[in-house]
Amino acid sequence: MNAQRVAAAIEATALVKTYTQGDEEIRALRGVDISVAAGEFLAITGASGSGKSTLLHILGGLDRPDEGQVWVEGSALSDLDDEALALLRRRRLGFVLQFFNLLPTLTAEENAAFPLLLDGAPDALDRARLSLERVGLGARAAHRPAQLSGGEQQRVALARALVTEPAVVLADEPTGNLDSKTSLEILELLKETAEDGQTIVMVTHDDKTAGFADRIVGLADGFLEVRPK
Ligand code: ADP
Ligand code: MG
């Protein structure tokens, strides 16, 4: 492990991922290198089907690459067994995946507490309340998802991603199903999170959304390329 790998919050080299569908081979990633510094807000843009979700899932250890390597805070994910990987995902990474993914029978506070409840943290609900306050939803802690607007539900999802104070937040189209005003609120919160020192990797098909990040890279034909801001 070299010094550069320790310095990056999340880094990957030579990622390859190919799917087979019947006779067809879909080469989603063909050699992706990426390095994101602590406190950086990176956007990865690309058309629908360009491999953005595939890349984000591999970076977060939700899926394994066919080739290549991912390091989170210097730990190579391929060195971890399933249990160690699950712990790293839960404690060092925060996920904001498409369509909120809140449990409908739980309150906002219980949804936000979920990663801590899985870990048996005794102060899970208190920390969830703080995380909800951080995203401006302290007054809605006892509401269930059906009682919240789309933007509020996405803020609960963000509070859940932040509740463990993860090193890296991975966000997949975090504004995908929101109107422009609530999108702006979510993007501002992501920006503030990066300013607080956490690393954000966001994938989006939308150039305007990507413009909120510190740095933009594009994904096309299975490779990443630098895009001007
Ligand atoms: P994006 O998020 O940019 O829309 P994805 O990463 O979801 O792209 O998908 C990239 C390509 O890989 C697409 O052609 C998609 O159909 C294909 N793909 C994604 N996941 C699977 C899978 N589990 N099995 C087969 N093909 C897949
Ligand atoms: Mg996607």
Side-chain angles (χ1 to χ4, degrees):
M1 200 183 304
N2 63 32
Q4 191 200 345
R5 275 179 189 147
V6 175
I10 192 160
E11 180 173 19
T13 55
L15 293 180
V16 173
K17 184 75 179 180
T18 305
Y19 298 109
T20 19
Q21 256 175 358
D23 295 342
E24 199 192 351
E25 277 206 336
I26 299 168
R27 301 177 72 195
L29 305 177
R30 301 203 291 159
V32 166
D33 298 309
I34 190 168
S35 177
V36 196
E40 190 176 15
F41 183 178
L42 176 77
I44 301 171
T45 61
S48 177
S50 61
K52 302 181 300 294
S53 294
T54 298
L55 175 56
L56 202 78
H57 292 175
I58 289 174
L59 290 176
L62 290 169
D63 199 1
R64 303 263 192 190
D66 299 329
E67 290 171 39
Q69 182 63 277
V70 178
W71 292 264
V72 174
E73 297 183 293
S75 289
L77 299 191
S78 61
D79 289 347
L80 306 178
D81 62 22
D82 287 347
E83 197 178 333
L85 184 59
L87 272 185
L88 179 139
R89 272 200 307 262
R90 201 144 81 220
R91 294 180 178 167
R92 301 308 299 156
L93 300 175
F95 293 88
V96 180
L97 300 177
Q98 281 179 281
F99 309 117
F100 318 137
N101 297 290
L102 302 177
L103 288 170
T105 56
L106 300 187
T107 63
E109 186 175 79
E110 289 161 344
N111 268 290
F114 208 79
L116 295 173
L117 293 170
L118 287 174
D119 255 353
D123 55 352
L125 291 175
D126 290 337
R127 287 164 67 188
R129 178 68 70 111
L130 289 175
S131 199
L132 285 174
E133 281 168 11
R134 183 170 170 190
V135 301
L137 270 191
R140 294 269 197 275
H143 288 56
R144 278 176 286 103
Q147 299 170 307
L148 299 171
S149 70
E152 287 171 334
Q153 290 184 59
Q154 189 64 317
R155 279 195 272 162
V156 176
L158 184 56
R160 177 181 57 195
L162 296 176
V163 76
T164 58
E165 292 174 33
V168 181
V169 174
L170 300 165
D172 194 347
E173 306 276 9
T175 61
N177 38 348
L178 301 177
D179 64 44
S180 56
K181 180 172 164 284
T182 45
S183 292
L184 202 62
E185 288 166 5
I186 294 291
L187 289 166
E188 292 292 353
L189 284 167
L190 289 172
K191 225 175 152 71
E192 276 169 31
T193 303
E195 282 159 10
D196 287 346
Q198 285 164 303
T199 303
I200 311 286
V201 180
M202 169 177 78
V203 304
T204 176
H205 68 281
D206 182 55
D207 289 343
K208 206 167 144 218
T209 300
F212 279 78
D214 301 325
R215 180 161 66 99
I216 305 173
V217 291
L219 184 56
D221 300 326
F223 296 101
L224 281 185
E225 57 193 30
V226 175
R227 294 268 165 89
K229 269 246 338 163

